[in-house]
């Protein structure tokens, strides 16, 4: 199982961004949705590594959040509210979010197998660094591709040639990002030896 513990960065100098986060991920496929645990911290529970990677990278890219991913078993049955959950995955997520505050991209992964968790953390960090270092034109091009547009349609929308679009995506590392996300999710699954639970 995966537990996401997410803490708002620089919250004393910023607005409360928790309501926006809760609304954004309300419809995501999570076993237990994000729930405010205390102050500007939220938690969610998932058994899907792809979902965890997607949410973690989205949150990190905003630069407003510190993300901890905990791996391990949880006490079943899960309570209705995420904040009432207990078990090793919740403890691992607490450790991860605390370590993430000093990590290169504000992300950390903890679990029962430290080496496996470190591998998943490294892969996720590399993808996050790739995204963080994109230029604005690169972000714009990747965003259009993420919406499902073809390169030709995206180029037309940006009023550039198909060749220029291809070059922007190459410089932005779009294909590498896709492979990196897959690798990060695969490594999270490998680190998760507790099986899955469906509500």
């Amino acid at each position: 199982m995966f537990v996401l513990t997410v803490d708002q960065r620089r919250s004393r100098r910023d607005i409360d961004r928790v309501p926006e986060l809760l609304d954004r991920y309300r419809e995501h496929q999570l076993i237990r949705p994000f729930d405010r645990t205390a102050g500007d911290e939220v938690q969610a529970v998932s058994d899907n590594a792809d979902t965890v990677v997607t949410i973690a990278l989205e949150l990190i890219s905003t630069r407003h959040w510190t993300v901890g991913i905990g791996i391990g078993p949880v006490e079943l049955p899960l309570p209705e509210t995420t904040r009432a959950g207990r078990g090793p995955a919740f403890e691992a997520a607490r450790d991860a979010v605390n370590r993430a505050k000093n990590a290169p991209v504000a992300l950390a992964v903890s679990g029962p197998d430290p080496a496996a968790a470190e591998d998943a953390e490294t892969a996720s960090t590399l993808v996050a660094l790739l995204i963080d270092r994109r230029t604005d034109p690169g972000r714009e091009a990747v965003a259009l591709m993420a919406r499902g547009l073809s390169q030709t349609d995206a180029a037309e929308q940006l009023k550039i040639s198909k060749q220029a679009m291809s070059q922007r995506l190459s410089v932005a590392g779009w294909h590498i990002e896709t492979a990196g996300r897959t690798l990060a999710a695969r490594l999270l699954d490998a680190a998760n030896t507790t099986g899955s639970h469906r509500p």
Side-chain angles (χ1 to χ4, degrees), residues 64-121:
H64 296 309
W65 303 98
T66 298
V67 178
I69 300 172
I71 303 169
V74 297
E75 291 186 8
L76 298 176
L78 279 165
E80 288 302 312
T81 59
T82 309
R83 64 178 174 272
R86 300 177 61 181
F90 285 91
E91 296 164 12
R94 167 63 50 206
D95 171 73
V97 78
N98 286 335
R99 289 193 303 104
K101 292 172 184 177
N102 297 312
V105 293
L107 166 72
V109 180
S110 296
D113 183 338
E118 184 178 358
D119 287 346
E121 179 179 316

Side-chain angles (χ1 to χ4, degrees), residues 3 28 82 91 97 107 122 128 154 163 169 189:
V3 174
H28 273 60
T82 309
E91 296 164 12
V97 78
L107 166 72
T122 299
Q163 291 75 16
L169 291 173
D189 271 330

Side-chain angles (χ1 to χ4, degrees), residues 17-76:
R17 298 184 181 275
V18 169
E20 178 186 353
L21 183 152
L22 297 179
D23 186 60
R24 176 177 177 83
Y25 295 106
R26 196 175 310 280
E27 302 302 322
H28 273 60
Q29 293 182 345
L30 295 164
I31 292 196
R32 289 294 180 271
F34 276 108
D35 188 16
R36 190 191 290 262
T37 53
D40 49 18
E41 182 184 274
V42 296
Q43 279 187 324
V45 182
S46 175
D47 65 352
N48 187 292
D50 290 316
T51 298
V52 171
V53 169
T54 296
I55 292 175
L57 291 175
E58 284 181 0
L59 291 174
I60 290 166
S61 69
T62 68
R63 301 185 182 179
H64 296 309
W65 303 98
T66 298
V67 178
I69 300 172
I71 303 169
V74 297
E75 291 186 8
L76 298 176

